[in-house]
Amino acid sequence: MILSALLTSVGINLGLCLLFFTLYSILRKQPGNRIVYAPRLVEKEKKSQQADFSLERLLPSPGWVRQAWQPSEDELLSTVGLDAVVFMHIFTFSLKVFIVAGIIGITILLPINFLGNQLSYDFSDLPNKSLDSFSISNVDDGSNRLWIHFCAAYVFTGVVCYFLYQEYSYISSKRVSYFYSSKPQPHQFTLLVRGIPGSSRSSFSEVVESFFKDYHPSTYLSHTVIRRTSKIQELTKDAEKLYRRLARLNSNDNSHKRFRRDGFLGIFGRKVDLLDHYGKRLEALQDNVRMEQSSLAGKEVAAAFVSFNSRYGAAIALHIQQGVNPTEWVTEQAPAPQDVHWPFFSSSFMKRWICKLAVVVACIALTILFLIPVVIVQGLTHLDQLETWFPFLKGVLNLTFISQVITGYLPSLILQLFLSFVPPIMIMFSSIQGHISLSNIEKSACSKVWWFTVWNIFFANALSGTALYHVQVFLEPKKIPQVLAEGVPAQASFFIAYVVTSGWTSISSELFRMFPLICSFISRLCCHNASDDLEVPSIPYHSEIPRVIFSVLLGITYFFLAPLILPFLLVYYCLGYIIYRNQLLNVYAPKFETGGKFWPIVHNSTIFSLLLMHVIAIGIFGLKKLPLASSLVIPLPVLTLLFNEYCRKRFLPIFEAYPTECLVKKDREDQNDPTMAEFYEKLITAYQDPALMPVQYSGSSDGRTSPLLHAANV
């Protein structure tokens, strides 16, 4: 790719960013768009706001930037939780790392690369100069200037490890502080017990009660045996949606919104009173739910949520084998009640085992299939290949602007479009894989998306060969450094354009929220109040974290190879910091809280990026006929692995379980808390399956006096 093609890509993406910012700053001021750009605030207010028209609403303004910047970290923590704070720390960590990298790379390495003579280009024609002339490929073979790159690799590794240690230490201390400051939570006192041995004379519930009263008499509190409820869950979801619609209609003073056609999109069919219509549907759903609940009375699963009267008592039961047979009375920490993935318990052990195997096969198949768009993208980056495939396009491809758009903008755009389908697929794979909580599903999908991106975006593009060639490379480990050293620098221009397209434009479109905006517009157009179906979204960590840390990988690996990428990464992280703070404060609401457990994924991916940089450095110094430097790089991955092992021993345990010191201290505080008696009463019913809880609706069809959707029997 030539410099002018990159500038064309930057210009197109910069224009799109400015367009999204301008439209957002105008559309967010319109009252009808609050459910799109501030659903979290609308849900908190419980009623829509009406505002008088003013000219200011039609003028773009940067006020949202100030509002997103102002809240302190403690305010952000109290508002959106520790997971969101950890997510924002990925941006601050990346900014720290790449500010230092930018100073070294732009002021020292980039001039050295540019002044090299390895590649013969006309210096007078800068716009048509290849971006390879800004990379290490342009440094003369055997040149002593390569020792500067060698020193930069050592310095940069030290900088990254220092900031990694600093962040790991800070987040682990924040996790402990967050635990101390939190109110008693059901999952802190509860375990999930599986493999309950069956008895012909007793039910699972009686077996559990007898076992824990015998062996944990001083700490056992209560238990809830799990039943298969897959058939009821869809009915209860429909009932909840209808109830929310009724509640919205009751709180709305506009009586004309009560009437709507009952056909497709509210356009066709007869006109009905929505309160009466929804009320009758709720009554029908109520009858169906009760019939299904009565049929499940005896369908118990060999699993139960067991609650204790102290956190320490739960921890003892968790970490000590309960029975002589290790496959029975298997314990694990229970997720929070709202975090439980109830469909997990409706599948048998054999079905879960088959699903795990099927997911592995499906991931491999998806990885191979994704090589097709990668091949297409690589063809677009090389016009000579494109002319060979499509000779009738030769005249069009000779046009300067067209060729610049095709080589500079189109490849990364196409790859990003295909990649957008991967996170939903990985969430689906993880959900059927057998995880007991939504947070575990999210973490599993996050890891899957990350490794899929590394393989199919980084390695597949860098190696630029067939799938068989990729496999052959990794079957011969000795050749890996040489192959990566040849392939990775050659794709520097593609990844710079990828950062601009996937980074700048994608993160700006996150602010604009085009798809929710279109859905809201269609809903209002069809005479339907969009706030009736308002569901506050949660931030999709499984797609956003891999995207952010993949940019970290690109920045680390190309730090000394092609430092021209660093300014584009800095812009990306600056945009991301402001935009995601805005989204967390206005759009997203957490559906679960892991207490910062996503950070080890970020740490491990950064360590992998450093090791990848070291392997490439060994190969590149060998290709550049500087074998001594290649040999002296070998201690770097060893030192990095030792650092990672220290961090794993020092910080990781606090992310897996809280120590005795924390648990006992928190339990002693609870002894003086007068609300603990009430908490224990609620804990007894905290893990009842929502699908089995009694449902009650008002007998009145207008729904004006409807009680809560679920009323638990205690």
Side-chain angles (χ1 to χ4, degrees):
M1 184 190 298
I2 59 176
L3 183 60
S4 58
L6 174 63
L7 295 177
T8 301
S9 176
V10 170
I12 293 172
N13 286 284
L14 188 60
L16 289 173
C17 290
L18 293 175
L19 177 63
F20 288 148
F21 290 154
T22 302
L23 290 175
Y24 169 74
S25 65
I26 296 173
L27 293 173
R28 64 182 286 271
K29 299 177 185 177
Q30 314 310 314
N33 292 331
R34 279 177 58 80
I35 61 169
V36 177
Y37 296 115
R40 186 174 165 275
L41 303 182
V42 171
E43 178 70 14
K44 188 181 293 186
E45 293 163 0
K46 297 297 181 185
K47 63 192 300 185
S48 58
Q49 292 183 348
Q50 298 295 329
D52 295 331
F53 175 78
S54 64
L55 185 61
E56 186 183 354
R57 279 168 41 188
L58 301 177
L59 298 176
S61 61
W64 65 273
V65 176
R66 183 180 65 256
Q67 294 172 7
W69 181 273
Q70 281 179 343
S72 64
E73 185 174 283
D74 290 337
E75 292 173 333
L76 198 66
L77 180 65
S78 62
T79 304
V80 294
L82 185 57
D83 284 338
V85 171
V86 168
F87 179 65
M88 294 311 304
H89 265 267
I90 304 176
F91 288 95
T92 55
F93 163 74
S94 303
L95 282 170
K96 291 175 187 176
V97 166
F98 292 120
I99 285 173
V100 176
I103 293 172
I104 298 172
I106 301 302
T107 62
I108 300 175
L109 299 181
L110 190 65
I112 292 174
N113 294 344
F114 186 76
L115 295 174
N117 299 313
Q118 186 68 27
L119 305 176
S120 56
Y121 290 105
D122 184 7
F123 281 73
S124 61
D125 191 12
L126 189 60
N128 293 321
K129 194 172 182 63
S130 171
L131 293 182
D132 291 339
S133 60
F134 296 93
S135 71
I136 197 172
S137 302
N138 196 39
V139 181
D140 298 340
D141 291 347
S143 172
N144 287 329
R145 293 179 178 180
L146 289 169
W147 286 104
I148 299 177
H149 295 77
F150 169 84
C151 294
Y154 263 88
V155 171
F156 185 58
T157 300
V159 168
V160 174
C161 290
Y162 170 76
F163 285 127
L164 268 180
Y165 179 86
Q166 196 178 51
E167 291 293 335
Y168 221 153
S169 176
Y170 178 79
I171 292 172
S172 61
S173 64
K174 269 289 182 184
R175 177 171 162 81
V176 173
S177 300
Y178 190 72
F179 173 73
Y180 281 141
S181 62
S182 65
K183 295 180 180 179
Q185 302 293 329
H187 66 276
Q188 298 172 354
F189 296 80
T190 306
L191 302 180
L192 172 63
V193 180
R194 289 189 285 177
I196 301 171
S199 172
S200 58
R201 293 174 296 178
S202 305
S203 65
F204 283 127
S205 181
E206 293 168 340
V207 171
V208 171
E209 185 174 14
S210 174
F211 181 87
F212 282 94
K213 278 187 174 179
D214 284 346
Y215 299 108
H216 298 271
S218 61
T219 57
Y220 168 73
L221 180 65
S222 65
H223 72 276
T224 302
V225 174
I226 299 163
R227 290 176 168 82
R228 302 188 192 277
T229 60
S230 55
K231 293 182 179 179
I232 308 178
Q233 288 163 5
E234 290 300 323
L235 292 174
T236 55
K237 286 179 183 178
D238 292 341
E240 288 170 358
K241 289 180 181 179
L242 282 174
Y243 180 77
R244 283 199 299 269
R245 290 182 182 181
L246 274 173
R248 293 280 180 185
L249 286 171
N250 288 331
S251 64
N252 203 319
D253 298 331
N254 296 329
S255 59
H256 71 276
K257 291 187 178 180
R258 285 180 49 179
F259 297 94
R260 178 192 171 199
R261 298 188 184 277
D262 63 352
F264 179 69
L265 293 176
I267 301 175
F268 306 100
R270 61 189 178 87
K271 217 169 191 179
V272 295
D273 184 344
L274 291 181
L275 289 178
D276 181 63
H277 182 64
Y278 290 157
K280 289 179 180 178
R281 287 177 61 186
L282 275 174
E283 289 176 5
L285 280 172
Q286 179 184 12
D287 294 338
N288 290 337
V289 169
R290 284 175 176 170
M291 288 176 60
E292 290 290 343
Q293 286 177 340
S294 62
S295 67
L296 287 174
K299 295 183 179 179
E300 292 182 333
V301 181
F305 288 105
V306 180
S307 299
F308 298 80
N309 57 22
S310 68
R311 299 173 184 83
Y312 185 63
I316 290 175
L318 173 64
H319 295 292
I320 297 178
Q321 183 176 313
Q322 298 301 304
V324 176
N325 185 346
T327 63
E328 296 179 347
W329 301 106
V330 179
T331 58
E332 58 183 294
Q333 189 69 49
Q338 70 274 15
D339 191 22
V340 177
H341 182 57
W342 293 105
F344 166 81
F345 302 106
S346 296
S347 57
S348 63
F349 171 81
M350 183 58 65
K351 182 180 178 181
R352 289 198 296 269
W353 187 85
I354 293 173
C355 285
K356 285 183 179 180
L357 184 62
V359 165
V360 173
V361 174
C363 286
I364 295 173
L366 183 63
T367 301
I368 295 173
L369 285 174
F370 201 83
L371 292 175
I372 297 172
V374 170
V375 171
I376 295 172
V377 164
Q378 284 301 316
L380 291 175
T381 58
H382 299 89
L383 287 180
D384 52 344
Q385 291 184 14
L386 206 59
E387 290 176 359
T388 303
W389 294 347
F390 306 102
F392 59 89
L393 293 177
K394 188 171 183 179
V396 178
L397 296 176
N398 288 332
L399 298 175
T400 304
F401 179 75
I402 298 297
S403 63
Q404 290 174 356
V405 170
I406 290 175
T407 58
Y409 178 69
L410 208 55
S412 52
L413 177 63
I414 293 174
L415 202 58
Q416 183 61 26
L417 289 175
F418 277 101
L419 194 61
S420 64
F421 294 102
V422 174
I425 294 174
M426 293 305 183
I427 274 284
M428 181 186 68
F429 286 169
S430 297
S431 63
I432 65 176
Q433 201 171 9
H435 294 286
I436 66 168
S437 66
L438 301 175
S439 56
N440 284 342
I441 291 173
E442 194 93 0
K443 286 192 292 181
S444 174
C446 182
S447 297
K448 288 183 178 69
V449 174
W450 156 247
W451 287 113
F452 182 91
T453 307
V454 169
W455 175 256
N456 278 289
I457 304 300
F458 186 81
F459 285 118
N461 280 284
L463 299 178
S464 300
T466 64
L468 182 62
Y469 174 69
H470 295 167
V471 174
Q472 288 176 343
V473 167
F474 289 96
L475 289 178
E476 301 181 47
K478 291 182 179 179
K479 293 185 178 180
I480 290 176
Q482 179 183 349
V483 172
L484 291 177
E486 292 173 350
V488 173
Q491 294 299 323
S493 56
F494 169 78
F495 284 119
I496 292 173
Y498 179 84
V499 167
V500 175
T501 303
S502 175
W504 294 11
T505 306
S506 294
I507 212 164
S508 302
S509 63
E510 161 66 30
L511 182 70
F512 183 52
R513 287 175 59 80
M514 182 181 296
F515 184 71
L517 181 65
I518 294 172
C519 292
S520 174
F521 176 75
I522 294 174
S523 182
R524 292 200 304 269
L525 194 65
C526 297
C527 306
H528 172 51
N529 190 354
S531 62
D532 290 347
D533 298 323
L534 175 65
E535 288 189 20
V536 182
S538 61
I539 184 168
Y541 290 119
H542 66 284
S543 62
E544 301 309 310
I545 290 178
R547 184 195 303 179
V548 177
I549 58 180
F550 181 68
S551 296
V552 173
L553 179 142
L554 293 179
I556 290 176
T557 52
Y558 280 102
F559 156 70
F560 76 100
L561 296 177
L564 189 62
I565 198 174
L566 298 174
F568 300 102
L569 283 172
L570 284 172
V571 172
Y572 166 68
Y573 286 117
C574 288
L575 289 174
Y577 181 78
I578 291 296
I579 288 173
Y580 277 111
R581 277 180 73 95
N582 177 79
Q583 301 300 83
L584 289 169
L585 291 169
N586 297 300
V587 177
Y588 297 121
K591 287 188 177 179
F592 53 79
E593 177 60 57
T594 69
K597 286 187 177 181
F598 284 97
W599 183 257
I601 297 176
V602 179
H603 176 89
N604 293 335
S605 66
T606 308
I607 292 294
F608 172 80
S609 302
L610 282 174
L611 295 175
L612 183 60
M613 181 190 77
H614 300 153
V615 172
I616 295 171
I618 292 171
I620 201 74
F621 289 129
L623 287 178
K624 287 291 182 180
K625 297 179 173 53
L626 207 66
L628 180 59
S630 184
S631 301
L632 292 177
V633 171
I634 294 176
L636 262 184
V638 176
L639 293 172
T640 302
L641 288 172
L642 289 174
F643 166 77
N644 183 54
E645 183 64 17
Y646 171 78
C647 289
R648 194 178 69 84
K649 297 287 188 182
R650 171 66 178 83
F651 300 117
L652 188 59
I654 203 69
F655 288 85
E656 295 175 343
Y658 290 105
T660 299
E661 179 183 353
C662 296
L663 298 175
V664 173
K665 189 179 292 186
K666 192 67 176 170
D667 285 339
R668 287 173 179 169
E669 289 179 8
D670 290 344
Q671 292 175 0
N672 302 320
D673 188 350
T675 64
M676 285 303 294
E678 181 183 357
F679 170 76
Y680 287 136
E681 289 181 7
K682 293 180 179 179
L683 182 59
I684 294 172
T685 58
Y687 283 92
Q688 284 189 1
D689 191 334
L692 291 176
M693 295 173 71
V695 292
Q696 295 179 358
Y697 307 106
S698 170
S700 172
S701 62
D702 64 4
R704 293 181 183 276
T705 58
S706 295
L708 291 175
L709 180 63
H710 297 128
N713 291 338
V714 180

